[in-house]
């Protein structure tokens, strides 16, 4: 990884990332088949946050087009160059969004996975109306009801869904969750699936490197995988 800041992938990095992508896709397909689902119904969001540019370039070179970032600023430095030459690139925001970053987020991303409070829903709706860019949205659910975590707790979800989808008019397609680190994830995935079914929402973003197969068993349509594709993240400077 000697060239890892250059943004040009050397052959070894390119091969490693392409191999990891192929491996994850085949594991996803097997998990979908084992669950009686169609492999094509689950999409892979490659989480590129805090990854060196050469590894991200390698994923693009391997033909991958759907990426997740958790910070607006980091994504705004990385992706506009790719965007110009890749009309089929799709970017999901998977981290918390502050209202003062809404303008940049709506300009840059294709989906906001982390809508989690009325003030943010209103700010997104206003910016989308102003620009005419209508992004798909997911509501982040705090399935573990953890005090420090973002997301709407399950009992407040129906009310918040009405605010986001009906009052604000956001294109809410589904739900997203990050289960508590110290608990088995499957019950959280099952709960998210049940909550989405109750609202008639088709998209379920759940599952990361360690647990995406379990998430697919519970109905995930988007899995967000970072380190299993790219390797360990760089520390934030
Ligand atoms: C970082 C991150 C991921 C990817 O995590 P890995 O364990 O590296 O696969 C997925 N979802 C969210 C919300 C993240 O912040």
């Amino acid at each position: 990884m000697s060239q890892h800041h250059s943004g040009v992938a050397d052959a070894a990095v390119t091969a490693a990332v392409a191999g990891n992508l192929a491996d994850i896709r085949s594991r996803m397909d097997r998990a979908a088949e084992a669950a009686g689902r169609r492999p094509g119904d689950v999409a892979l969001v490659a989480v590129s946050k805090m990854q060196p540019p050469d590894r991200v370039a390698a994923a693009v070179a391997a033909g991958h087009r759907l990426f997740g970032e958790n910070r607006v600023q980091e994504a705004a430095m990385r992706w506009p160059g790719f965007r110009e030459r890749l009309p089929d690139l799709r970017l999901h925001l998977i981290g918390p969004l502050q209202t003062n970053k809404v303008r940049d987020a709506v300009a840059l991303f294709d989906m906001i996975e982390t809508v989690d409070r009325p003030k943010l829903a209103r700010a997104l709706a206003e910016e989308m109306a102003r620009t005419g860019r209508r992004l798909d949205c997911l509501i982040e659910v705090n399935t573990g009801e953890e005090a420090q975590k973002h997301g709407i707790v399950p009992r407040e979800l129906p009310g918040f869904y009405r605010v986001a989808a009906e009052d604000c008019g956001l294109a809410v397609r589904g739900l997203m969750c990050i289960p508590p680190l110290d608990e088995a994830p499957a019950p959280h995935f099952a709960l998210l699936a049940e909550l989405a079914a109750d609202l008639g929402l088709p998209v379920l973003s759940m599952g990361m490197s360690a647990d995406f197969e379990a998430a697919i068993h519970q109905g995930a349509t988007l899995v967000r995988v970072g380190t299993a594709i790219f390797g360990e993240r760089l520390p934030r400077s």
Side-chain angles (χ1 to χ4, degrees), residues 45 47 49-51 69-70 94-95 113-114 140 176-178 207-210 223-229 231 233:
V45 179
V47 177
K49 67 177 186 203
M50 293 189 280
Q51 293 290 350
E69 290 278 356
N70 76 334
I94 62 169
E113 295 201 14
T114 50
E140 181 173 355
M176 175 270 213
C177 77
I178 308 168
M208 320 203 307
S209 290
V223 293
R224 309 178 308 266
V225 178
T227 48
I229 295 170
R233 286 181 274 275

Side-chain angles (χ1 to χ4, degrees), residues 24-207:
I24 299 290
R25 286 206 197 91
S26 74
R27 285 171 60 191
M28 287 171 61
D29 289 354
R30 283 201 299 275
E33 274 158 20
R37 305 181 56 203
R38 283 182 309 195
D41 292 347
V42 190
L44 174 59
V45 179
V47 177
S48 45
K49 67 177 186 203
M50 293 189 280
Q51 293 290 350
D54 62 338
R55 297 185 202 164
V56 178
V60 170
H64 198 76
R65 291 294 179 269
L66 175 57
F67 293 86
E69 290 278 356
N70 76 334
R71 292 197 179 185
V72 177
Q73 255 164 324
E74 187 185 352
M77 291 178 60
R78 194 197 289 287
W79 288 107
F82 286 108
R83 186 69 100 177
E84 278 176 25
R85 36 183 197 88
L86 303 171
D88 53 347
L89 182 72
R90 291 290 173 271
L91 296 178
H92 288 198
L93 180 65
I94 62 169
L97 178 57
Q98 296 168 316
T99 48
N100 65 0
K101 302 270 171 56
V102 159
R103 182 167 288 196
D104 291 342
V106 169
L108 183 64
F109 289 96
D110 300 287
M111 181 186 272
I112 308 292
E113 295 201 14
T114 50
V115 181
D116 66 352
R117 58 200 191 281
K119 187 182 175 201
L120 175 60
R122 280 192 292 274
L124 283 167
E126 278 169 24
E127 181 62 11
M128 290 183 205
R130 193 183 72 81
T131 59
R133 269 181 65 79
R134 193 170 154 78
L135 277 58
D136 286 339
C137 295
L138 305 181
I139 294 173
E140 181 173 355
V141 181
N142 183 357
T143 57
E145 311 209 14
E146 296 170 280
Q148 78 286 5
K149 207 162 226 170
H150 294 271
I152 290 280
V153 296
R155 70 180 169 283
E156 291 173 4
L157 178 62
F160 179 65
Y161 172 73
R162 280 192 297 276
V163 169
E166 291 166 23
D167 302 352
C168 298
L170 291 181
V172 179
R173 304 298 182 209
L175 306 178
M176 175 270 213
C177 77
I178 308 168
L181 277 174
D182 55 351
E183 289 181 30
H188 293 273
F189 298 152
L191 172 60
L192 198 72
E194 191 184 310
L195 294 167
D198 288 347
L199 294 171
L201 294 171
V203 178
L204 278 174
S205 174
M206 56 192 196

